[in-house]
């Protein structure tokens, strides 16, 4: 039994070493890029009609490689596999490709392509960029919640006030949220939505103009907060180093003076001893 | 009488303690969230038809709780109730729910929902975010007044110049202000408004293009001012602390040297005394 | 003769003192605000029909006051009147109100309203804001010229390439410049302009997408340059002061040490003299 | 032979000196500006009909001057001609004017105008601005690649999912990329594209709203990164200088103290010698 466990541990180590090997990760990267290209080619009807079956086969092989890679990784790391957010990301985007792929479900057909997003998880520089984007999120939490509350309240109000007359835009809470998002992006907010609404409810601008001003101002503050945070930590690092150099300099310079004064003190004390001796001689 | 006043003071204190109790504020928060959800549900016709009367009842109970809370607070703090802007906010949004609620006045029906905005006044983190947004306003005052003057003058001009030909957009001062706001947000400004206007007044671009440039540039400066202020105070705090540390260091380091020099001075003076004594001996 | 010149000088001084008097500038400010309101009222047909003639009369009186004010100022400051850019601004906006005001020339009718912009030149805080906006311009000069060159070249190209097929948008250099400005603001650029153009010239996106990217990137850099300048001078002022304090501290602290060391030197030299004397005694 | 090479070298130097002469570069600048104006004039049908042939002649002469200038430069610098990116820029934009110019190829007719972009390469300040824009690019590389991957994946998905129903917008990978670019700029994204798509695929917002949020957030971070970099290097330069001054001051001030202490040390040592002598005397 024990040797069985040992063997399994050895095998696990071998597998771990294998999946972490440079050649293997590079091969996987190559497969991802190759698959990204074949997925792109599969959008062309002419390519589809000439080498369509080949593309389907390639897709199945690539999916097989990805599944094998994930299984090996899961075998190698066991549950600590899930400690790495990128593994979970890979798991999700690969799993989406295993969903049934009927012709009727064109949405699911598209989801399969999300697998090419693995380019972001496999290239280290891309990981760093995505990480930086995600790191910015927590600092934005409170403002995002505030904007969400404002959105929710305005959406409920819009549904109650304008829903009956404009069911297409404000007929339900979901439709109102979508329409308010569109208005926040300023797309056709006036010509497309608010002017028609004002023909029925002439005071509707009292609702929509403040909504635009509030969300624009909130998004602006979100952005300023993000910017100040990034800037501050950048400037801080720089300045902390400069200050630390300066402190070091002040210390070392005063130490030099201090050392010389100490030297002087030794001399003066020696002098006192000599004078004391002299005094003793004279006394004698 | 005196004991009556005392009793009333005691009662006031008890009430104040009660409304400030953690359990009570949490209950109120729970009621607000619950009410926000029921208000959301009331937008759905299917929910409305099945449990509509229950939702109306819940709404009345919640309103009763809010009114009771405000009355207790007002009893507890008396006029200092109005010193807290958040109390005034709560008073206004709750009062809007007491307005008559006829079917014809769908606008008033919607206003009732604004009560869910109390989420912003009850959650401390949300209060902080809103406070930060409001704190940014005074620094923007001068630019906002400037933009308002520009808006007013351009609106009067647009009404006089284009009002007769385009009454829908520039027929009155209010309509012109709204249209100029739309143009400032760049929504359909050219295809929707200025190109049609230019068909009648071919030189209208001399009016609208500078308006867009001026307002865009002003808003940009508003934003830059806001950003520089936020950034400056953030960097300042950091840097002020570093400088104060450095000053402290310079002082303490030179103090060390100074102390040692003082020590030396004591030694030298003692030496002089001894030499003087020696001189006295030799003299003698 | 001499006394005549003196009299005139005295009168000039009196006039200058008069136009600079607080009560006079406040009265002028009051007249401007009053005129801004009457100009606003004159946009309303109902007001126009009831007190129209009164408004016209008020307008003439206000214009008379403004002309009188400018003449007095010009008399008081003579040619140095033109040294102040705000005086030139006032002169221009008041002069525009003297233009013939026929019913047919609705554009000129509107121009008269620009006089209300004097609010910006009379209120000191507004002057400061406008000054700050204008101060930002020189730093933007080079980028603005670059954007102008790009605009000109793209406009000539668009006129030659798309003018024949789309005379309404690109029929002349002026029309192309206007359309490119619209495209730069992203208003209906695709649905309104580029998609229709692509139906005739399928490769038009090679022209328009780079144009959007280049101008967006240039405007972004314009904005960043402006922001960095503002920020830098703000941070600089702060930091220059802190550094100057710190330098002062370093100087004063080392001066204290230096003074004490000097004191020590005096003591040691006195000691040497005494030892020399002692030596003389012993020698003797 | 040798003298032949020498002659050629001398000629090369003369040519180099000639093309670098201030008068020559200014003449070229004048020709570019003149050509920019004639190219602008050639867009006007009335100018075309009156002096069209003259303009064509001018264009040919200008092109001849440019070709001559480039040939001289190429002769003077030989292959190091290609080390300067601006030379390559000039070569490309001039070459575009040599392309066949048939009436049917209106696109090629327009390309000729790009030659006026030489204004950017000839005026030193414009070069500096363009250089600054290009210098900003490398720092944006990683984010731009990330956005490209996101664009590619979303475009493939959109083509597969919405291509069959909306061939005009998502019929091919290229069309999808263009439509997604339009959506990223927020132009008519909802009214023009997503609402029609949602009529067939009601859940399409799950695809488009995240796309907008992700690209907006990425572009925002691109911008913040750019801004922080620019700002940091600006603040750094300033602060590095201040710190270097301060370090210099700390050094010089402590050197003064140190020198005085050294002076003191010399005195004390002299004193010791004298005391030692005194001791010797007393001993004797």
């Amino acid at each position: 039994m024990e040797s069985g466990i040992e063997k399994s541990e050895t095998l696990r180590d071998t597998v771990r070493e294998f999946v972490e090997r440079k050649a293997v990760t590079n091969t996987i990267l190559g497969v991802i890029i190759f698959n990204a290209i074949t997925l792109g080619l599969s959008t062309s009807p002419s390519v589809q009609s000439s080498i369509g079956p080949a593309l389907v086969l390639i897709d199945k092989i690539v999916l097989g490689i990805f599944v094998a890679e994930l299984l090996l990784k899961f075998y190698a790391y066991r549950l600590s596999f899930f400690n790495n957010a990128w593994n979970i990301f890979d798991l999700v985007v690969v799993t989406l490709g295993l969903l049934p792929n009927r012709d009727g479900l064109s949405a699911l057909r598209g989801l399969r392509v999300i697998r090419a997003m693995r380019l972001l998880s496999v290239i280290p520089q891309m990981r760093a960029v995505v990480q930086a984007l995600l790191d910015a999120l927590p600092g934005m939490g409170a403002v995002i919640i505030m904007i969400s509350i404002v959105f929710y309240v305005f959406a409920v109000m819009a549904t109650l006030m304008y829903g009956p007359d404009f069911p297409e835009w404000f007929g339900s809470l979901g439709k109102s949220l979508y329409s308010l998002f569109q208005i926040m992006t300023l797309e056709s907010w006036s010509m497309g939505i608010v002017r028609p609404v004002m023909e029925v409810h002439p005071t509707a601008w009292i609702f929509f103009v403040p909504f635009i001003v509030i969300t624009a101002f909130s998004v602006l503050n979100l952005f300023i907060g993000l910017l100040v945070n990034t800037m501050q930590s950048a400037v801080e690092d720089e300045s902390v180093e400069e200050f630390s150099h300066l402190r070091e300099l002040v210390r070392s310079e005063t130490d030099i003076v201090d050392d010389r004064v100490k030297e002087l003190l030794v001399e003066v004390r020696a002098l006192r001893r000599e004078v004391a001796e002299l005094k003793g001689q004279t006394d004698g």
Side-chain angles (χ1 to χ4, degrees), chain A residues 19 22-34 65-66 69 73 118 122:
Chain A
V19 295
K22 198 75 199 157
V24 174
T25 58
N26 279 347
T27 306
I28 292 290
L29 175 57
V31 171
I32 295 171
I33 293 173
F34 175 72
I65 294 171
F66 287 170
E69 184 212 0
K73 273 195 179 166
R118 285 200 65 193
V122 169

Side-chain angles (χ1 to χ4, degrees), chain A residues 49-120:
Chain A
S49 64
S50 59
I51 56 162
L55 288 178
V56 171
L57 184 67
I58 286 169
D59 215 59
K60 282 186 179 157
I61 294 168
V62 167
L63 194 55
I65 294 171
F66 287 170
V67 169
E69 184 212 0
L70 283 174
L71 286 176
L72 284 178
K73 273 195 179 166
F74 187 66
Y75 175 74
Y77 302 108
R78 276 176 293 184
L79 286 179
S80 69
F81 173 89
F82 294 103
N83 291 346
N84 187 336
W86 292 108
N87 284 340
I88 300 172
F89 176 81
D90 287 350
L91 184 63
V92 169
V93 299
V94 169
T95 308
L96 288 174
L98 294 169
L99 292 175
N101 185 1
R102 306 234 186 93
D103 282 288
L105 292 164
S106 60
L108 294 180
R109 205 170 5 131
L111 269 180
R112 179 172 57 95
V113 181
I114 214 167
R115 198 195 298 157
M117 285 281 188
R118 285 200 65 193
L119 280 169
L120 298 182

Side-chain angles (χ1 to χ4, degrees), chain A residues 94-244:
Chain A
V94 169
T95 308
L96 288 174
L98 294 169
L99 292 175
N101 185 1
R102 306 234 186 93
D103 282 288
L105 292 164
S106 60
L108 294 180
R109 205 170 5 131
L111 269 180
R112 179 172 57 95
V113 181
I114 214 167
R115 198 195 298 157
M117 285 281 188
R118 285 200 65 193
L119 280 169
L120 298 182
S121 71
V122 169
I123 308 174
Q125 289 90 329
M126 290 302 106
R127 278 198 191 202
V129 170
V130 175
Q131 198 60 54
L133 290 181
L134 294 178
D135 287 351
L137 284 179
M140 297 159 59
V143 179
I144 288 176
I145 293 173
M146 198 212 77
I147 294 179
S148 307
I149 293 173
V150 169
F151 249 86
Y152 179 77
V153 172
F154 273 87
V156 175
M157 286 172 76
T159 313
L160 291 175
M161 293 193 292
Y162 310 122
D165 296 312
F166 300 92
E168 199 194 343
W169 299 331
F170 303 108
S172 70
L173 197 55
K175 283 180 178 173
S176 292
L177 283 169
Y178 175 82
S179 296
L180 288 178
F181 180 74
Q182 175 193 329
I183 289 170
M184 190 179 75
T185 65
L186 301 178
E187 201 272 288
S188 303
W189 72 265
S190 175
M191 289 317 219
I193 307 252
V194 180
R195 279 189 195 274
V197 170
M198 285 206 295
E199 267 165 36
V200 182
H201 305 269
T203 57
W205 63 270
I206 301 174
F207 179 81
F208 289 106
V209 172
F211 175 76
I212 288 173
V213 171
I214 290 171
T215 53
F217 190 52
S218 303
V219 168
L220 196 75
N221 266 272
L222 195 71
F223 167 64
I224 287 180
L226 202 60
L227 183 54
V228 169
N229 269 11
T230 316
M231 182 93 52
Q232 206 178 351
S233 58
V235 169
E236 210 168 291
D237 291 359
E238 173 65 23
S239 128
V240 158
E241 207 182 325
E242 281 280 13
F243 271 107
S244 126

